Amino acid sequence: MRILVVEDEHKIANSIKKGLEQEGYATDVAYTGTEGFDLASSEEYDLILLDILLPGINGIEICKDLRKKQIHTPILILTAKGQVSDKVEGLDAGADDYLTKPFAFEELLARIRSLLRRPKDNIGSVLKCEDLTLETLTYQVKRGDKSIQLSSKEYALLEYLLRHQNQVLTKEQIINHIWDYDADVLPNTVEVYIGYLRNKIDKPFPDKPALIHTVRGFGYRLGA
Ligand code: CA
């Protein structure tokens, strides 16, 4: 796995590089936006960590330009604390996730692992857990042979849980990924939607193992 870090603060960039290399990721660093864009568009990376405020081209522009060039490498944006508009802009520009600085290195690693697990090309894939299947091309969800009708939010939530199965996902992670940034979402909303999903994928199948688990104090996990 090879990661590009685009960050102009040398101290931060170098400590990220050092930490990632200890985890076994090959890591390149670009200290300017221009250099970052050049590397990102000429080399093959599995992931790009992108600061927003950079000399040369800023992170948002880099994101947009890479997507325009059909480069779909997962991008994790590093934003300054509380800059909600940066996050929105970044995600709109084609970034996959964001992390607010200062961050805990453990969280950075967790987000990197989750992005690296995400298939680059989602077209027509079938996500599966036990006998639960979700077809991303047709939006068809089944438990065994039985079709399950989901609303679009329920579908998005289930897809997210399936892509991260056996991981504990916090409510905040779920909100950030499913409701993005547009809605005023209360933590309770996640519980409500998890309840809807349970009523459709677990409760009607009492003879089968429940797939959605509450991990008290942490969040939710989908798995057998
Ligand atoms: Ca910066």
Side-chain angles (χ1 to χ4, degrees), residues 1-3 19-25 46-49 74-76 96-99 104-120 160 162-169 173 177:
M1 293 290 182
R2 188 168 173 208
I3 296 178
L20 291 179
E21 286 181 340
Q22 276 170 0
E23 294 294 315
Y25 298 113
D46 296 293
L47 184 91
I48 300 167
L49 293 184
I75 295 176
L76 174 61
D96 297 273
D97 199 359
Y98 62 82
L99 192 57
F105 196 70
E106 281 308 311
E107 183 175 8
L108 176 65
L109 289 178
R111 300 226 174 196
I112 288 173
R113 283 194 298 270
S114 130
L115 283 172
L116 291 176
R117 262 193 301 269
R118 197 176 289 180
K120 279 182 191 155
Y160 182 57
L162 275 165
R163 286 195 189 282
H164 299 273
Q165 56 186 282
N166 294 317
Q167 279 176 258
V168 178
L169 300 168
Q173 280 176 308
H177 283 84

Side-chain angles (χ1 to χ4, degrees), residues 148 150 154 192-205 212:
I148 298 171
L150 299 179
E154 290 163 2
V192 169
Y193 275 86
I194 289 281
Y196 292 157
L197 266 190
R198 275 198 173 117
N199 286 339
K200 292 183 175 182
I201 70 163
D202 280 338
K203 293 240 170 84
F205 307 96
I212 298 175

Side-chain angles (χ1 to χ4, degrees), residues 6-9 12 31 51-55 78 101:
V6 188
E7 165 66 74
D8 60 321
E9 281 165 62
I12 297 178
Y31 299 105
D51 185 26
I52 291 187
L53 285 177
L54 290 162
L78 303 172
K101 289 196 267 188

Side-chain angles (χ1 to χ4, degrees), residues 105-171:
F105 196 70
E106 281 308 311
E107 183 175 8
L108 176 65
L109 289 178
R111 300 226 174 196
I112 288 173
R113 283 194 298 270
S114 130
L115 283 172
L116 291 176
R117 262 193 301 269
R118 197 176 289 180
K120 279 182 191 155
D121 185 358
N122 296 337
I123 297 166
S125 60
V126 177
L127 305 174
K128 210 173 175 328
C129 176
E130 295 287 301
D131 64 343
L132 175 73
T133 54
L134 178 151
E135 281 186 49
T136 60
L137 193 61
T138 58
Y139 300 102
Q140 205 171 44
V141 176
K142 284 182 174 178
R143 185 106 199 232
D145 316 325
K146 197 171 179 298
S147 276
I148 298 171
Q149 302 301 321
L150 299 179
S151 72
S152 63
K153 276 279 175 280
E154 290 163 2
Y155 178 90
L157 176 58
L158 182 60
E159 182 181 6
Y160 182 57
L161 292 171
L162 275 165
R163 286 195 189 282
H164 299 273
Q165 56 186 282
N166 294 317
Q167 279 176 258
V168 178
L169 300 168
T170 65
K171 285 180 188 172

